[in-house]
Amino acid sequence: NGCEGDPFTVTATVNPEPVVADQTVVVCSDEVLGTDFGSSSSVAATTYDIIDLVLNGLTVSAGGAGVSNGLSASDLSDDSFTNETPLPVDVVYTVVPLTSIGCEGDPFTVTVTVNPEPVVADQTVVVCSDEALGYTILGDIDTPLVSTYNLTSILSGGLVGASGNQALASGLLSDALLLDVWTNETPLPVDVVYTLVPIGDNGCEGDPFTVTATVNPEPVVADQTVVVCSDE
């Protein structure tokens, strides 16, 4: 009927959203990220939803990274990825932060640059007993090139090595096994297995590989004596 009532109010309480900046991290292949989702610059984010994960051809090697909801900030830290390509590859998370009462912030990204690891194939060499291996370790034929090797295990198969043989050590060069000598006085060939970890020129570790030295046996003949008469 056109009559005015008394004024009333509509009060809209607008709860704040968390604001998290984009993040970047650089790691080696198979190295855990070791970082948390970023904190909010406004109201605190208590959980995080990963709404997209772009692997760009890499595989998840630890942490179970994937699209998931209700994650804590530290759930990012144990993720890792395998990069056996020649070049660094970016893995990109798209993440939504949420407050304790469920207010969503704008998505942010975590871009992980995964540097490649050297890939070295298992290798074999065949020598005779008491013969130096004379073998130079073959590194990665692609990038990253191998700069050094860590010798982590030697399985001698029961053979005795020379006193100057290479011991377990880090930072070795490709000629580390060149002068190793093993004695095989058994009836059969015996394998000596070296396990090495390659370190790329970018500082990243590759998966362990083996150099198997097959040591062929030497004949063992005892000293002999014979007694005869003159002119016999």
Side-chain angles (χ1 to χ4, degrees):
N1 60 1
C3 296
E4 286 189 1
D6 293 333
F8 69 95
T9 61
V10 176
T11 302
T13 300
V14 183
N15 286 314
E17 66 180 77
V19 178
V20 180
D22 292 340
Q23 300 169 243
T24 59
V25 60
V26 180
V27 293
C28 286
S29 175
D30 294 333
E31 178 185 7
V32 295
L33 305 191
T35 188
D36 294 345
F37 289 120
S39 58
S40 171
S41 60
S42 59
V43 64
T46 56
T47 59
Y48 299 81
D49 293 348
I50 299 175
I51 61 172
D52 190 35
L53 179 62
V54 179
L55 295 173
N56 285 320
L58 301 190
T59 57
V60 178
S61 54
V67 173
S68 186
N69 295 332
L71 302 175
S72 68
S74 63
D75 282 336
L76 179 68
S77 63
D78 62 352
D79 287 356
S80 67
F81 305 91
T82 299
N83 180 6
E84 295 182 345
T85 75
L87 299 171
V89 175
D90 287 344
V91 171
V92 182
Y93 298 77
T94 302
V95 187
V96 173
L98 296 94
T99 67
S100 59
I101 61 172
C103 291
E104 289 188 1
D106 292 333
F108 67 96
T109 59
V110 179
T111 301
V112 181
T113 300
V114 184
N115 285 319
E117 64 181 83
V119 179
V120 180
D122 293 340
Q123 302 167 45
T124 60
V125 57
V126 180
V127 294
C128 287
S129 174
D130 294 337
E131 178 186 3
L133 300 190
Y135 187 77
T136 301
I137 302 167
L138 301 177
D140 195 344
I141 61 173
D142 214 330
T143 55
L145 299 176
V146 178
S147 60
T148 60
Y149 300 87
N150 297 341
L151 179 56
T152 60
S153 173
I154 303 173
L155 299 178
S156 68
L159 300 188
V160 176
S163 59
N165 279 11
Q166 178 62 56
L168 303 185
S170 299
L172 301 176
L173 300 179
S174 60
D175 61 355
L177 308 181
L178 199 66
L179 301 179
D180 277 13
V181 173
W182 297 90
T183 298
N184 181 6
E185 295 182 347
T186 75
L188 299 171
V190 174
D191 287 343
V192 175
V193 182
Y194 299 83
T195 301
L196 302 105
V197 174
I199 310 298
D201 56 9
N202 60 358
C204 294
E205 283 191 5
D207 292 333
F209 68 97
T210 59
V211 175
T212 300
T214 298
V215 183
N216 285 319
E218 62 181 81
V220 179
V221 180
D223 293 338
Q224 303 169 43
T225 60
V226 59
V227 178
V228 295
C229 288
S230 173
D231 295 334
E232 180 185 6

